[in-house]
Amino acid sequence: MARVRGATVWKVGSSLLVLGGLGFLVLTSPWTWSMLHGSQELPPLEGADVANGRRVFVASDCATCHATPGQPKDTVLGGGRALDTAFGIFHMPNISPDKQAGIGNWTLAQFDRALRQGVGPGGFWPDGQVLYPSFPYTSYQKLKGSDVRDLYAYMMTLPPVAQAAPDHELKFPFSLRRGVGLWRLAFLDGRPWQPGPVPAGVKADDYHRGEYLVEAAGHCAECHSTRTFMGNVKAGLRYAGGPTPEGNGWFPNVTPDETGIGYWSVPSIASYLQTGVNPIGRVADGDMAEVIRNTAQLPAADVEAMALYLKHVPAVTQPAPGMPMPNHGSELVMLPSVVQHASRLPVSGPDSIRAGEAATVVRTTNAWLQAGGVQKGAEAQAKLLGGAAVQVKARDGDRVQLVLQGWQIADTPSVVYQARGQRVMVGVLTPEAVAAVKHGEAETDADTGQRWLPAELTVWAEATGLNTDRPAVWAYSQDVFQKACSACHVLPQKGHFTANQWIGTLKSMRRFTTMDDDQYRLILAYLQNHSKDLKDPHTQGGAAAAGGHP
């Protein structure tokens, strides 16, 4: 009896497993979604307007993701760009008309199915290969059939790129592509674009044109909205901003709310989409700079229509991280006097600073030529600035002897810079300290004609305000930079400015933040050491990156 009962249990379990597997295949099948939602109109390829296809291509921002990195043309669509997200790394595919590596063998119907339904040809199953929603088909589903046809006709005229893009590198269970079929059932409604109600006093044709460009081709909500853990746009927070996929920045709120762009006029929004300069003079950077390169190519009437629509989307109050909530009350609130407070900086414990180790100055540190000056509290003869790399030469109780190496301009002996030709300040010296500096052979900068001298100074200081883990200092600086600056605008990329340009760029924004002097100095040092023309020689590339040093 026990043997019979066991066999019965095994048969029931096996049957349930088979039924569950079949149910999963049916629910995740693109055919199931198509039966529930049907298809949209798609005119034949004959009569396609290639010029309109180019406009749709630009409005849809295709090149931002799919253009081959490292080259300037938006028509070379070899893919390869990586998008690092909480789900894993997405590699943007090749969508050039190459027949092997790209989409050159796709028919118009297959192209349309990928664009508006999120299902590409191929894959293991005969019903097609579901696409990950990092491709914004939840917005592209609203594209008109004629625009899809024209876009396909245009893209097939572009140069083929033979290089295949890498496969995605996703975490389990997101690596199970078939499971995206469930996501499509839940979040892809299949509804074509339908003109919405027009606000009072607004021209219907202009408003609806803007609505179509923003909601469908431009897919603006895909970035500028908060998402749930499932990756769908959160109800009520459309266009209200949210974290970037990488998790290290914030897409701004673009609703007409006080915490968004409520103070921007329609002409200001249109101007931004054409020039990348916002009403307070800040210039678009990062991914938005690439978006602007596309919207700047649209007809002025289209850009103005987009601005008109954005000015009338529902306002949502959602401040970015670090941005205060607005006061909507009628009572005048007097803020208390500002109290200076010391920030919590990433310093190592004094006991961990040992002779023979490299360290980074975190807190601006007073220094003396003799160890006795530290204990006596005499007037400092030098100051070591945040971000300065030093070598711990000796230790005497709570005092450490530090060696600072850098460069000096021959005519400015009171300042030590990290690198030749770069205004990355690491030390400020009194006349006594200037006299103690050891110099190497002078070099002349070919661009400025200035004479630079390799410099080395040995000083004593307290064993506080230092960190022996330089990458940890940069991680802290990056975090403060992101939280302070992303509250108001898209973060500029570190490599978009030279080390010297970062001085004025960061200084112009400091008054809008609560950073204290030490935080400001660390952030500036971090940005300069990761800029377009300078890489930190103490964490990557060796001394040659700093212009050489004896």
Side-chain angles (χ1 to χ4, degrees), residues 109 139 141 187 205 225 264 323 365 372 377 393 395 398 491 529:
S139 290
Q141 67 177 338
F187 303 117
D205 288 347
S225 302
W264 294 29
M323 185 179 182
T365 299
K393 185 176 182 180
R395 172 118 195 195
D398 293 334
L491 288 176
N529 274 278

Side-chain angles (χ1 to χ4, degrees), residues 99-433:
K99 293 185 180 297
Q100 280 72 46
I103 62 172
N105 282 324
W106 288 20
T107 65
L108 172 59
Q110 289 172 327
F111 180 82
D112 175 57
R113 192 183 188 208
L115 198 65
R116 294 197 288 184
Q117 296 184 22
V119 182
F124 180 79
W125 301 98
D127 52 1
Q129 179 173 253
V130 291
L131 305 179
Y132 286 98
S134 55
F135 178 55
Y137 49 79
T138 46
S139 290
Y140 288 159
Q141 67 177 338
K142 299 180 177 67
L143 284 171
K144 300 174 184 176
S146 57
D147 281 343
V148 174
R149 175 201 61 187
D150 294 348
L151 176 61
Y152 174 82
Y154 168 73
M155 291 180 64
M156 289 301 156
T157 69
L158 300 181
V161 180
Q163 183 175 353
D167 293 331
H168 300 319
E169 303 171 65
L170 304 181
K171 305 171 186 176
F172 182 83
F174 311 110
S175 55
L176 300 176
R177 182 186 286 269
R178 184 78 181 187
V180 178
L182 294 174
W183 192 95
R184 292 173 66 252
L185 278 179
F187 303 117
L188 184 65
D189 58 31
R191 297 173 187 166
W193 178 74
Q194 293 293 334
V198 181
V202 174
K203 291 183 178 179
D205 288 347
D206 293 343
Y207 179 83
H208 286 149
R209 178 60 177 166
E211 180 183 24
Y212 176 71
L213 289 169
V214 170
E215 296 287 354
H219 62 279
C220 305
E222 303 291 344
C223 284
H224 289 280
S225 302
T226 301
R227 294 181 178 271
T228 70
F229 73 98
M230 290 293 291
N232 61 298
V233 172
K234 203 168 187 178
L237 293 178
R238 193 171 179 85
Y239 297 111
T244 60
E246 299 87 350
N248 59 5
W250 189 266
F251 289 121
N253 184 335
V254 293
T255 72
D257 183 77
E258 184 178 344
T259 58
I261 58 173
Y263 68 94
W264 294 29
S265 65
V266 171
S268 293
I269 300 172
S271 176
Y272 179 73
L273 293 175
Q274 289 177 314
T275 67
V277 180
N278 75 9
I280 63 171
R282 300 304 300 166
V283 179
D285 212 319
D287 289 341
M288 195 62 201
E290 298 184 38
V291 173
I292 297 297
R293 280 194 282 273
N294 289 314
T295 54
Q297 300 179 58
L298 292 173
D302 282 352
V303 174
E304 290 164 4
M306 294 173 71
L308 178 67
Y309 177 72
L310 286 170
K311 188 64 178 176
H312 291 90
V313 300
V316 181
T317 299
Q318 178 169 249
M323 185 179 182
M325 285 291 293
N327 173 26
H328 294 300
S330 58
E331 180 183 356
L332 178 65
V333 177
M334 299 299 293
L335 298 177
S337 300
V338 175
V339 178
Q340 186 68 29
H341 66 281
S343 56
R344 298 183 62 182
L345 298 172
V347 296
S348 300
D351 293 339
S352 66
I353 308 299
R354 300 181 179 88
E357 291 188 336
T360 298
V361 176
V362 175
R363 184 176 291 117
T364 298
T365 299
N366 290 331
W368 293 264
L369 298 176
Q370 303 298 327
V374 180
Q375 289 184 337
K376 293 179 182 178
E379 184 176 349
Q381 295 167 313
K383 285 186 182 294
L384 305 181
L385 306 181
V390 294
Q391 190 72 24
V392 183
K393 185 176 182 180
R395 172 118 195 195
D396 182 7
D398 293 334
R399 301 169 297 186
V400 288
Q401 189 179 35
L402 306 174
V403 178
L404 174 70
Q405 290 186 330
W407 291 79
Q408 291 185 300
I409 302 175
D411 297 334
T412 314
S414 61
V415 179
V416 181
Y417 297 98
Q418 175 181 305
R420 183 188 67 236
Q422 305 287 359
R423 306 298 174 129
V424 185
M425 294 176 61
V426 292
V428 181
L429 316 180
T430 64
E432 294 86 354

Side-chain angles (χ1 to χ4, degrees), residues 248-250 285-287 481-487 489-493:
N248 59 5
W250 189 266
D285 212 319
D287 289 341
F481 166 65
Q482 290 169 344
K483 289 179 178 177
C485 300
S486 67
H489 56 83
V490 175
L491 288 176
Q493 302 298 299

